Amino acid sequence: MAGNPDERDERIALLLDYDNLAIGAREGLGVSPFDLTPVADALAVRGRVVARRAYADWSSFDEDRRLLARAQVELIDIPQRLGGSRKNAADIKMAVDAVEIAYERSWVTTFAIGTGDSDFTPLVHKLRELDKRVIGIGVASSTSRLLPPACDEFLYYDRLLEAAAPPPEPVPETGAPAPVAGTEAETAAATPDDDEAVGRLVTRTLSGLARQGDGAVLASRLKRAILRQDPTFDEAEHGFRGFGELLRHLRDQRIVELSTGSAAGDPEVSFPENEPAEDDAFRLLAEVVAEESRSGNGVPLSGLKDRVRKRRPGFSEKTYGFASFLSFAKAARARGVVRMAWDETAGDWRLQPA
């Protein structure tokens, strides 16, 4: 065990009261079928999910069943119509399994209980009594007020959906219109590519680890968290010889910051701390984008630098260490100052208020 690089990671057992979650998501959020991906990503940042079980009468969730099977979830079928009422059968089975895991699998350190039902509060108390950490997961509109305070941490599915990364931006076709010419000629080559996708994956994962507040985020820990989200991840497929080279590339773009870690070759990774002048420049960009996007369609990157200069003559992104206005805009997006998406029709980036 001492040689296991994941020895400090939490081992998580994910147990889902699926009826409660699916109905809550459908009626409260209009989401159907239930999408497990935001939950899986949130837990992957927190540790290794070593067991995934969902409890329901699966005859009522045909499409969900296929999606969960693809997500490697073990489906525990509890038929509800066997000649009599079995209303709480799934809840009882889930509680029994949780206690059994707690006693028989000492390596499981954390239970993620997906439900909004206050009937599971005694189970949460028992698991914590057994020195297990408990993460609750539920839909805000269908979660009892008694349940979240009983947990060590509670994740509202609504917020996980909001925080979920947008889908990969489409690569423009060869015949896509060229961007409008402006003072920043570099936008002519501003097309989304794999570099954008991998950058979003790294920053999203780093943000999740940083929110845990349990010490510095080492490159090795960041890489393990990324692999838990996407076991097929390989930086070589994105054109980098190693994960360190990828991080140095993001550092050069001012997306992340690297500092000496506790071991050679394993630097600490963080987000850059903005200088006051740089913060002011990002605020200026956000103000201009907010003013220019009142129509709701966003502001094209082409010509945006001119609009910024109208507000502040002499503005230059190079003053703040960015090689191009596009890099400055991408850094603003990484810091949550603006939103930025590729417009395939116009062949240009569009920015909107965050």
Side-chain angles (χ1 to χ4, degrees), residues 14 30 49 62 125 141 221-222 296 306 314 316 330 336 350:
L14 172 62
V49 180
D62 192 48
H125 289 315
S141 61
R221 182 182 172 204
L222 177 61
D306 287 337
S316 173
K330 288 180 178 178
R350 283 193 174 273

Side-chain angles (χ1 to χ4, degrees), residues 75-236:
L75 306 180
I76 309 299
D77 191 25
I78 311 291
Q80 295 297 308
R81 297 176 181 82
L82 292 176
S85 174
R86 306 183 75 227
K87 178 179 180 297
N88 295 320
D91 295 359
I92 294 171
K93 172 62 173 169
M94 181 169 148
V96 169
D97 282 0
V99 173
E100 180 185 26
I101 292 172
Y103 276 106
E104 295 189 355
R105 295 166 177 81
S106 59
W107 57 86
V108 174
T109 61
T110 302
F111 284 81
I113 306 295
T115 185
D117 194 342
S118 62
D119 288 350
F120 283 97
T121 304
L123 171 64
V124 172
H125 289 315
K126 177 56 67 176
L127 291 173
R128 295 185 67 183
E129 183 182 324
L130 294 171
D131 196 28
K132 304 298 183 182
R133 185 166 183 263
V134 180
I135 301 173
I137 304 162
V139 178
S141 61
S142 60
T143 295
S144 167
R145 287 181 295 178
L146 298 174
L147 187 60
C151 301
D152 293 287
E153 181 181 7
F154 199 91
L155 305 176
Y156 282 110
Y157 184 66
D158 320 47
R159 298 174 188 171
L160 295 180
L161 282 178
E162 292 174 2
E169 293 152 347
V171 178
E173 298 177 2
T174 306
V180 179
T183 57
E184 59 276 13
E186 71 267 13
T187 61
T191 56
D193 52 23
D194 246 10
D195 187 40
E196 292 299 316
V198 74
R200 284 196 300 272
L201 176 61
V202 171
T203 55
R204 184 178 74 242
T205 307
L206 177 59
S207 178
L209 290 172
R211 283 197 299 270
Q212 300 306 302
D214 55 355
V217 178
L218 297 176
S220 57
R221 182 182 172 204
L222 177 61
K223 174 73 176 288
R224 292 199 303 272
I226 290 173
L227 287 171
R228 288 195 293 263
Q229 295 180 69
D230 180 8
T232 67
F233 172 81
D234 184 353
E235 58 274 0

Side-chain angles (χ1 to χ4, degrees), residues 278-346:
E278 187 175 309
D279 282 330
D280 185 52
F282 284 135
R283 278 195 297 271
L284 173 63
L285 177 66
E287 290 171 3
V288 173
V289 169
E291 290 176 3
E292 298 289 338
S293 62
R294 289 171 182 165
S295 64
N297 296 325
V299 185
L301 184 65
S302 299
L304 179 57
K305 185 173 178 179
D306 287 337
R307 295 182 175 94
V308 172
R309 280 179 166 167
K310 286 182 180 179
R311 289 280 302 272
R312 182 175 296 175
F315 168 87
S316 173
E317 68 282 351
K318 293 177 176 59
T319 303
Y320 310 101
F322 295 96
S324 66
F325 189 70
L326 173 61
S327 297
F328 175 72
K330 288 180 178 178
R333 177 182 65 180
R335 290 160 174 77
V337 176
V338 296
R339 289 182 292 146
M340 188 172 168
W342 180 257
D343 183 344
E344 185 175 4
T345 303

Side-chain angles (χ1 to χ4, degrees), residues 35-50:
D35 183 7
L36 185 66
T37 304
V39 174
D41 286 347
L43 294 181
V45 170
R46 289 160 172 80
R48 293 175 55 214
V49 180
V50 296

